[in-house]
Amino acid sequence: MLRDTFLIVLYAAIGAAAAGLLGTAALRLLRNRSVALSLAVVAAVTVAAMLAGTMLVSWAMLLSHHDLWVVTMVCSIAAVVSLVVALVLGRSVVKGSRALAEATRALGDDGTFTPPSAAPTAELAQLSRELAATSAKLAQSRERERALEDSRRELVAWISHDLRTPLAGLQAMAEALEDGMVADPGVYHARIRTEVRRLGEMVSDLFELSRIQAGVLALNVARMSVYDLVGDAIAGAYALAREQGVRLVGDGVEPVPVEVDGREMSRVLANLLVNAIRRTPTDGTVAVSARREADSVVLSVTDGCGGIPAEDLPRVFDTGWRGTDARTPPAGAGLGLAIVRGIVEAHRGHAAVRNVPGGCRFEVRLPAAA
């Protein structure tokens, strides 16, 4: 009995192995053809393996011709049904693949992807979802690129405007000095120094912004107190505040530690303070505060500018943005707040602005030191 069982298993395995090898060879030959054909081959191999094993066992066990004919008919009917099912499934998969290919082609042509209504398999459905997610990311990327390009065009226009004005003034004053038409040359010399200083600041801002956008801003991080950072920034902006008739208040500053690049963060606070002082009317107040919130340190600068229109709030930190009434020399080239955001994000922080009664508040959120 054990010997008969062993022989049955052996002959069945030989027949199935032979059918499997032939099926594998057929699949290799058809690897670049339709998946429907491959599924038909798989179904045929399954039935052929069963039929080959049965035939060998029947020959070895000397079964009657009638029994062999019955087994053969059963296997043949099973083969027909299997091939029909495989072809139906194959056509469904091919149809779904073609629909997905058409949708993907549209993604390459116009950047939009509309997933097919239904996918025949879970893998194609997953692929469709991944392509839809990729399409959404590409759309966002194109939108960011478009906004960046618009910002660059505005920046070039504004920089050209801001450069043309002082350069024309410098040329006129130089020609007047050269022709000896100036009663007091010292006045022109002072004006020339002022304009040259403005041009130097603009070039410095452009260089800083280019380093930030290129991702090559090197930070020398050290542990320091926010109290010292704010104190130095207020001291540096005090002269401008007195000239503009603006009061600087820094009472709400907590001595919490942060790990930052002192030079770059001093530039952030200086840009925020200069911007606030220039936007605050005479006899107004600019308040600076620093506090710890959970795992963050929040630096805020509050001015008396009267507020920013709600539609302009999302653009405040964009490169070149200066608002609708900012085409005046004190407004600069619209780079200061863009530099603020770049430096803060390089410190893994976040810069934001919101309106408050009488003005607006710029907030810089930085990770707190351990």
Side-chain angles (χ1 to χ4, degrees):
M1 184 65 180
L2 184 60
R3 180 175 177 275
D4 292 341
T5 302
F6 174 76
L7 289 176
I8 291 173
V9 172
L10 177 62
Y11 287 130
I14 292 174
L21 290 174
L22 291 175
T24 302
L27 288 175
R28 288 183 61 85
L29 294 174
L30 300 174
R31 61 181 178 273
N32 294 325
R33 303 296 294 274
S34 173
V35 67
L37 189 58
S38 298
L39 288 174
V41 170
V42 171
V45 167
T46 302
V47 177
M50 183 178 65
L51 183 59
T54 302
M55 297 282 291
L56 285 176
V57 171
S58 300
W59 171 80
M61 301 299 292
L62 300 176
L63 295 180
S64 65
H65 291 291
H66 178 269
D67 293 341
L68 183 59
W69 180 84
V70 171
V71 172
T72 304
M73 287 300 297
V74 171
C75 291
S76 300
I77 294 174
V80 172
V81 173
S82 299
L83 288 174
V84 170
V85 172
L87 289 174
V88 170
L89 176 60
R91 286 174 61 87
S92 175
V93 172
V94 169
K95 183 179 178 181
S97 299
R98 288 175 178 171
L100 190 58
E102 289 294 332
T104 306
R105 189 175 298 111
L107 174 62
D109 293 338
D110 55 16
T112 59
F113 177 78
T114 304
S117 57
T121 66
E123 290 76 13
L124 289 180
Q126 177 65 24
L127 178 59
S128 179
R129 288 192 294 269
E130 291 295 334
L131 287 173
T134 301
S135 175
K137 292 178 181 178
L138 288 175
Q140 294 175 359
S141 178
R142 285 192 298 271
E143 187 63 30
R144 286 194 298 268
E145 185 66 25
R146 190 178 299 111
L148 182 59
E149 187 61 30
D150 292 342
S151 176
R152 286 173 178 170
R153 282 198 294 267
E154 292 178 0
L155 176 62
V156 170
W158 287 338
I159 288 292
S160 300
H161 173 271
D162 288 336
L163 285 176
R164 189 181 299 113
T165 301
L167 287 175
L170 288 172
Q171 182 178 356
M173 287 185 287
E175 291 175 351
L177 289 171
E178 188 177 61
D179 296 339
M181 299 176 61
V182 181
D184 187 1
V187 175
Y188 274 33
H189 290 154
R191 291 181 180 176
I192 289 174
R193 282 196 301 271
T194 300
E195 295 299 329
V196 170
R197 183 172 64 253
R198 281 190 57 229
L199 291 174
E201 292 173 353
M202 191 180 301
V203 171
S204 176
D205 286 345
L206 284 171
F207 178 69
E208 183 78 359
L209 186 61
S210 67
R211 288 199 304 158
I212 292 172
Q213 293 182 342
V216 296
L217 181 64
L219 299 178
N220 296 316
V221 177
R223 186 184 180 92
M224 59 187 63
S225 172
V226 171
Y227 189 87
D228 295 335
L229 277 175
V230 173
D232 292 343
I234 291 177
Y238 181 76
L240 177 63
R242 184 175 58 183
E243 179 184 341
Q244 299 287 332
V246 175
R247 292 184 298 275
L248 277 179
V249 178
D251 296 335
V253 180
E254 300 177 5
V256 292
V258 289
E259 293 182 355
V260 295
D261 185 314
R263 178 176 173 274
E264 297 296 342
M265 285 308 302
S266 294
R267 182 163 195 161
V268 166
L269 291 173
N271 285 357
L272 291 178
L273 284 173
V274 169
N275 180 73
I277 292 170
R278 286 175 174 171
R279 296 297 181 184
T280 300
T282 303
D283 293 332
T285 301
V286 173
V288 185
S289 67
R291 65 189 185 279
R292 178 159 187 164
E293 292 184 358
D295 295 332
S296 301
V297 175
V298 180
L299 297 166
S300 64
V301 176
T302 306
D303 59 34
C305 67
I308 299 173
E311 63 272 14
D312 287 340
L313 283 175
R315 299 194 57 203
V316 167
F317 292 97
D318 288 353
T319 302
W321 185 87
R322 297 186 297 181
T324 55
D325 59 344
R327 284 188 176 273
T328 54
L335 304 180
L337 294 180
I339 291 173
V340 166
R341 181 175 63 178
I343 294 176
V344 171
E345 290 180 352
H347 284 84
R348 295 177 291 109
H350 177 69
V353 60
R354 59 187 175 91
N355 286 325
V356 295
C360 59
R361 177 173 297 159
F362 288 84
E363 291 186 344
V364 171
R365 187 176 296 270
L366 298 169

